[in-house]
Amino acid sequence: MGREYQIKKRLDGPSKSGIDYAAELNEQQYAAVSSDPGASLVIAGAGSGKTRTLTYRVAYLLDQGVEARNILLLTFTNKASKEMTERVRELIPGDISDLWGGTFHSIGNRILRRHADELGFDRSFSILDRDDQKALLKPIIKGAAVDVKNKRFPKADLLLSIFSLVVNTQESLEDVLYYRYDYLQEWEDEIEKIYVGYVKKKLETNSMDFDDLLVLMLKLLKENEEIRELYQRKFRYVLVDEYQDTNMVQCEIVDLLVGKSKNLMVVGDDAQSIYSWRGADMENILKFHVRYPDAVTYKIETNYRSQPEILELSNAAISANTEQIAKKLTASREGGEMVPALLALSDPRAQADFVAQRVQELVDDGIEGEEIAVLYRAHYQSMEVQMEFTSRMIPFQITSGLRFFEQAHVKDVSSYIRFVVNRRDEISFKRMVLMLPSVGDASADKLWRAWLASDAARGEKLPQSFSATLLDFKVPAKARTYWEQMCYTLDELVVADGDESKYAAPADMIYSILEGVYEEYMKNAFDNYENRKQDIGQLQNYATQYVDVMEFLAQLSLMSNVDGDPSQQGSQKKKEEQKGVTLSSIHQAKGLEWKVVFLVWLADGMFPNGKVLETEDHKMLEEERRLFYVALTRAKDQLYLSYPMMNPRSYSGEVFQNPSRFLDDFPAELVEEWNVSDW
């Protein structure tokens, strides 16, 4: 056995901070910050000062003589890492530059830069971004000689999303396809072949993608005992932020880095675990004591964000979940401003009218637009609010994605309608044909010139049949089947009116496009196909109010160019978009807070999500309820919960909507019902 030798602490290290920890922290925070070495699980409720607890823990360790280089602080975002490091610098007067702090990916990169040769890579390996990944994948797909004669093969973006799930969930490709992409199971052999080729190509080109920074770090630590022990000796204390969001790979990495010392502090909130769809495993936090039987649990339950009326509602809402670590948030603030409001509106337009009018009233009362948020389960549920805010000139920014009418799939569908209405619309024509397999810019240009030369393009009257002309055009063999379907779909966008033709109703046009060509395209082009299909459904609902297709297209153009002159879309536009009311999905809102929150579309099938209700999956329903809880706890002062009682549908008329079942999870007296009437 080797001789033990200890290096003494340098005298020029970080000096004592002078912090009175007991005075600056509440009792629960102080207990966690000053805890003894060993494993500890810190359950930090929403708004309870999680970041404060972590940063003071680092400062406390430094004050106890632990050197900065022996501390590892793992976060999920660069923003969180930067914020925590800056806060520690403010607390500690000495040099902490040796502190290892960063995201899992950045720490993975740092370790792999030192030891990549152990895995067959050079230390100068390249890190692939999404465009690099697609460029690397393109020749592999081509080399696989996939037969796409009768059916589209998944696009590179979708394949990469599938590969990422395989890595981050540690599930087999077969299981990922079966449980998440069942409509792609027929391609399993081809996808497997491409995946193997992709992994091989990355090694050949000395390149890693972002998932490799995790999975290869795990492989290194698992297979190389010497390197594993090197980092276990180095990191005497490991701290992990947002532990409920870790996946299996990240969880194993943490366990291997901690080693026998067990000096691990993980901080998180199981009630805010909402990312299972991207591989996060809540079991990591729920079963922490299985892996660390001697771990001490600390609960931080004093909330500094919300009024007690909002917290009481939040506590009651989440209590319906069975799989959770028991906790109850208490408010440090006094209450009395308002009880959360519950509103049943007649339809989506009435809901948007209410939100817009109430926002204007709040702004007139002195609340800044930046202190107000409209939250929703899915991005498409923001459409009516976007329209109403635009018409009333209420400034807003969207964090859940592009403005509704600027999204690629909305523009794809509208390109069919635009072309039929304006047969000289080159941009719309090329957008349509570029969605076909094996059609590139050169082919699209040839097809456009052929169309321009045809009588159908030059005639004043609307042709009864586009296919009569277009089917004679020469297209790549792989595109022929899809070209024919596109032609027949264009035919459906016009209807016979005696000896002439007229445009079909806008809603009928959208239905024909979706059913005829676009749904299949979406399935194989996008990893969030279901969400995009819901967007198109919402566009179809919107179109039902228009009979005149010209008016419909005019409104689309106005809504997608709300910033006016395109020549002014530069840095000034970006600055303006940072101001105003925030429109956000709840997933994007996690970690944020506002004085006033409007939570809309609280109807069964909308929230909780309809797919979850169809599967009757208990775990998925509980995650939906955690998402509801996250939304509630974003509000500081005022909270409005609303749902439309009726929802227009193009082919089945108006559909009655039941209130979200989550509204039954708390006593009725915790909300105040507002009876909203219009003129």
Side-chain angles (χ1 to χ4, degrees):
M1 183 174 178
R3 180 187 298 184
E4 297 292 331
Y5 183 87
Q6 184 177 10
I7 298 177
K8 297 179 180 179
K9 179 180 178 293
R10 296 179 305 179
L11 295 177
D12 60 347
S15 61
K16 295 289 184 180
S17 65
I19 298 171
D20 186 343
Y21 291 93
E24 295 191 23
L25 301 167
N26 68 35
E27 186 177 340
Q28 293 175 330
Q29 292 171 338
Y30 178 68
V33 165
S34 61
S35 60
D36 293 333
S40 56
L41 170 64
V42 181
I43 302 299
S48 65
K50 171 181 65 68
T51 301
R52 184 178 182 83
T53 302
L54 265 175
T55 52
Y56 271 76
R57 175 61 174 175
V58 174
Y60 182 84
L61 291 174
L62 294 169
D63 272 347
Q64 296 302 304
V66 179
E67 298 217 23
R69 63 194 176 95
N70 296 134
I71 299 173
L72 173 63
L73 175 59
L74 287 165
T75 65
F76 271 82
T77 66
N78 290 316
K79 180 182 177 183
S81 175
K82 183 179 179 182
E83 179 185 358
M84 289 189 191
T85 304
E86 288 176 351
R87 287 201 194 183
V88 174
R89 285 199 179 99
E90 291 172 0
L91 295 171
I92 297 293
D95 179 18
I96 63 162
S97 58
D98 286 342
L99 173 73
W100 277 53
T103 64
F104 278 89
H105 291 89
S106 67
I107 297 300
N109 175 59
R110 194 168 175 179
I111 290 175
L112 290 170
R113 288 294 175 192
R114 299 180 175 194
H115 310 288
D117 50 323
E118 299 287 340
L119 299 167
F121 290 84
D122 291 338
R123 298 184 186 185
S124 59
F125 62 83
S126 300
I127 299 177
L128 305 170
D129 63 18
R130 196 65 161 189
D131 287 339
D132 297 330
Q133 288 178 276
K134 288 190 286 187
L136 196 70
L137 202 58
K138 190 174 180 180
I140 299 171
I141 296 173
K142 187 175 182 180
V146 179
D147 181 10
V148 294
K149 184 176 181 181
N150 296 314
K151 196 167 179 65
R152 292 179 189 270
F153 189 69
K155 298 280 189 180
D157 260 323
L158 179 51
L159 290 174
L160 291 169
S161 294
I162 293 170
F163 298 164
S164 183
L165 274 172
V166 169
V167 169
N168 285 299
T169 62
Q170 297 289 278
E171 296 175 4
S172 66
L173 175 63
E174 179 182 9
D175 283 348
V176 167
L177 292 179
Y178 179 80
Y179 290 109
R180 299 174 190 256
Y181 301 94
D182 57 338
Y183 55 89
L184 296 178
Q185 285 181 279
E186 64 185 294
W187 295 114
E188 184 181 330
D189 291 342
E190 291 85 352
I191 294 173
E192 176 76 37
K193 181 179 179 182
I194 291 167
Y195 180 51
V196 171
Y198 176 62
V199 173
K200 181 181 178 183
K201 192 69 173 179
K202 285 187 291 183
L203 184 59
E204 289 175 354
T205 58
N206 194 38
S207 303
M208 298 183 191
D209 59 31
F210 282 97
D211 291 325
D212 290 328
L213 298 178
L214 298 183
V215 74
L216 292 180
M217 174 168 60
L218 177 60
K219 179 180 173 67
L220 181 72
L221 295 173
K222 270 186 170 181
E223 298 179 357
N224 194 306
E225 182 180 3
E226 184 179 351
I227 291 174
R228 180 171 67 249
E229 291 181 351
L230 167 69
Y231 286 100
Q232 288 175 351
R233 290 192 301 270
K234 176 175 177 54
F235 299 133
R236 290 178 53 201
Y237 290 87
V238 177
L239 300 93
V240 185
D241 185 25
E242 303 285 12
Y243 191 68
Q244 78 281 348
D245 293 336
T246 54
N247 59 36
M248 288 305 300
V249 174
Q250 292 160 329
C251 182
E252 283 193 72
I253 287 171
V254 169
D255 291 345
L256 290 171
L257 289 173
V258 170
K260 297 176 182 178
S261 75
K262 306 298 183 186
N263 287 335
L264 168 65
M265 175 177 282
V266 300
V267 182
D269 182 6
D270 58 290
Q272 298 187 70
S273 178
I274 58 174
Y275 296 117
S276 66
W277 49 274
R278 67 184 189 195
D281 190 346
M282 193 176 74
E283 293 294 304
N284 294 342
I285 194 168
L286 291 181
K287 296 184 177 178
F288 185 75
H289 285 83
V290 174
R291 296 195 316 284
Y292 298 90
D294 298 326
V296 180
T297 298
Y298 300 90
K299 294 181 182 179
I300 305 176
E301 299 170 298
T302 302
N303 176 286
Y304 295 92
R305 175 186 299 156
S306 305
Q307 289 201 119
E309 292 87 350
I310 294 173
L311 278 189
E312 192 176 359
L313 174 61
S314 304
N315 285 330
I318 196 61
S319 66
N321 271 8
T322 57
E323 293 188 26
Q324 61 174 312
I325 298 171
K327 71 187 77 65
K328 185 175 182 180
L329 295 183
T330 58
S332 67
R333 299 178 55 189
E334 293 183 2
E337 179 166 331
M338 70 170 282
V339 174
L342 177 62
L343 304 99
L345 288 310
S346 58
D347 56 35
R349 288 200 143 208
Q351 180 175 245
D353 284 341
F354 166 76
V355 172
Q357 180 174 308
R358 187 66 184 133
V359 164
Q360 285 184 323
E361 292 169 351
L362 292 167
V363 171
D364 290 343
D365 287 341
I367 297 179
E368 296 288 337
E370 291 79 6
E371 290 286 353
I372 303 173
V374 182
L375 305 183
Y376 34 81
R377 173 63 179 82
H379 181 55
Y380 75 90
Q381 294 168 353
S382 68
M383 188 187 78
E384 289 88 2
V385 174
Q386 288 187 47
M387 292 167 56
E388 195 59 33
F389 278 12
T390 300
S391 66
R392 296 186 187 224
M393 293 186 288
I394 297 174
F396 66 94
Q397 57 169 324
I398 299 177
T399 64
S400 55
L402 294 171
R403 293 175 185 255
F404 185 86
F405 296 103
E406 294 175 350
Q407 297 175 106
H409 48 293
V410 173
K411 288 189 171 183
D412 286 346
V413 169
S414 64
S415 68
Y416 283 82
I417 304 174
R418 292 180 191 278
F419 170 68
V420 168
V421 170
N422 176 13
R423 284 164 283 155
R424 289 184 290 176
D425 187 338
E426 180 178 356
I427 293 174
S428 294
F429 179 88
K430 288 184 175 179
R431 188 176 190 107
M432 284 191 310
V433 300
L434 284 170
M435 287 185 254
L436 303 174
S438 300
V439 173
D441 291 338
S443 297
D445 195 53
K446 288 180 181 177
L447 290 168
W448 173 245
R449 290 200 302 270
W451 169 254
L452 277 184
S454 70
D455 293 336
R458 293 194 300 268
E460 293 183 5
K461 293 183 178 180
L462 182 64
Q464 290 188 349
S465 172
F466 284 84
S467 59
T469 299
L470 293 170
L471 286 177
D472 291 334
F473 290 9
K474 185 177 180 181
V475 296
K478 288 183 178 180
R480 190 71 210 177
T481 300
Y482 306 105
W483 171 259
E484 291 173 357
Q485 188 58 52
M486 186 198 84
C487 294
Y488 296 136
T489 298
L490 290 173
D491 287 347
E492 291 184 20
L493 305 190
V494 296
V495 292
D497 185 16
D499 294 332
E500 297 187 357
S501 299
K502 67 178 183 179
Y503 303 115
D508 293 340
M509 286 183 163
I510 294 169
Y511 179 83
S512 293
I513 296 163
L514 183 64
E515 293 294 313
V517 288
Y518 198 66
E519 183 169 8
E520 184 184 350
Y521 174 80
M522 281 196 297
K523 281 183 177 180
N524 297 286
F526 306 117
D527 61 349
N528 58 348
Y529 148 71
E530 289 287 351
N531 291 341
R532 293 177 189 254
K533 184 179 179 181
Q534 288 175 324
D535 283 347
I536 302 304
Q538 196 73 353
L539 179 67
Q540 191 177 349
N541 290 345
Y542 170 67
T544 58
Q545 62 190 292
Y546 294 95
V547 176
D548 186 346
V549 70
M550 303 288 192
E551 184 183 355
F552 171 68
L553 289 177
Q555 287 301 313
L556 288 191
S557 297
L558 292 172
M559 291 298 297
S560 63
N561 189 29
V562 295
D563 296 291
D565 185 357
S567 67
Q568 301 301 315
Q569 295 176 1
S571 60
Q572 183 62 34
K573 175 184 173 182
K574 290 181 179 179
K575 288 179 183 178
E576 290 172 358
E577 288 182 344
Q578 298 305 310
K579 298 178 181 179
V581 180
T582 298
L583 273 60
S584 175
S585 70
I586 304 166
H587 284 102
Q588 291 289 334
K590 184 174 176 289
L592 304 176
E593 58 184 35
W594 294 270
K595 286 184 178 179
V596 182
V597 167
F598 294 84
L599 181 53
V600 298
W601 282 99
L602 281 170
D604 261 5
M606 296 295 177
F607 193 10
N609 180 274
K611 192 173 183 181
V612 172
L613 298 182
E614 289 173 9
T615 61
E616 298 183 348
D617 187 308
H618 174 71
K619 287 190 174 182
M620 291 176 66
L621 184 61
E622 292 217 337
E623 179 159 338
E624 289 285 296
R625 187 175 284 110
R626 292 194 296 272
L627 193 62
F628 180 54
Y629 173 80
V630 167
L632 299 179
T633 54
R634 298 311 94 197
K636 296 180 184 178
D637 302 335
Q638 298 185 31
L639 176 63
Y640 299 86
L641 311 175
S642 68
Y643 66 94
M645 292 182 287
M646 303 294 290
N647 190 19
R649 299 285 175 87
S650 300
Y651 290 91
S652 55
E654 287 195 325
V655 175
F656 179 77
Q657 296 195 137
N658 291 317
S660 170
R661 61 196 60 199
F662 296 153
L663 298 177
D664 294 328
D665 289 339
F666 51 80
E669 60 266 22
L670 295 185
V671 294
E672 179 184 17
E673 291 192 29
W674 287 29
N675 298 313
V676 179
S677 58
D678 50 27
W679 292 97

